[in-house]
């Protein structure tokens, strides 16, 4: 699984440190160096997390998730509006 996905030694020290984090790093390492189908598993995990957080906390969880997308959309608008 994701713990067994090797980290290439040519990675900088901060990338190797990030990939060694318990849950987030394992998922990121699997996406970067693992099987090509792992992106679909990752999306199912994220969607399940969103559904469970909305089920537990309701609308405030949905609003907090939407607020995290604001910088992403602003950056995309700036990139797309560039002449």
């Amino acid at each position: 699984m994701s713990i067994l996905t090797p980290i290439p030694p040519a990675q900088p020290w901060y990338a190797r440190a990030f990939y060694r984090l318990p849950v987030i790093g394992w998922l990121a390492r699997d996406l970067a160096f693992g099987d090509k189908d792992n992106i679909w598993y990752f999306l199912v995990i994220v969607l399940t997390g969103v559904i469970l957080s909305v089920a537990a906390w309701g609308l405030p969880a949905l609003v907090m998730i939407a607020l995290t997308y604001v910088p992403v959309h602003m950056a995309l608008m700036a990139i797309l509006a560039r002449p």
Side-chain angles (χ1 to χ4, degrees), residues 72-83:
V72 173
H73 286 282
M74 293 298 286
L76 284 175
M77 285 177 21
I79 290 170
L80 293 175
R82 213 172 1 147

Side-chain angles (χ1 to χ4, degrees), residues 1-22 24-34:
M1 260 342 242
S2 60
I3 298 173
L4 300 177
T5 304
I7 301 173
Q11 295 293 317
W13 68 269
Y14 51 85
R16 287 193 312 268
F18 175 70
Y19 288 143
R20 287 188 180 126
L21 289 174
I24 307 276
W26 295 342
L27 291 172
R29 180 176 46 197
D30 232 13
L31 286 176
F33 306 112

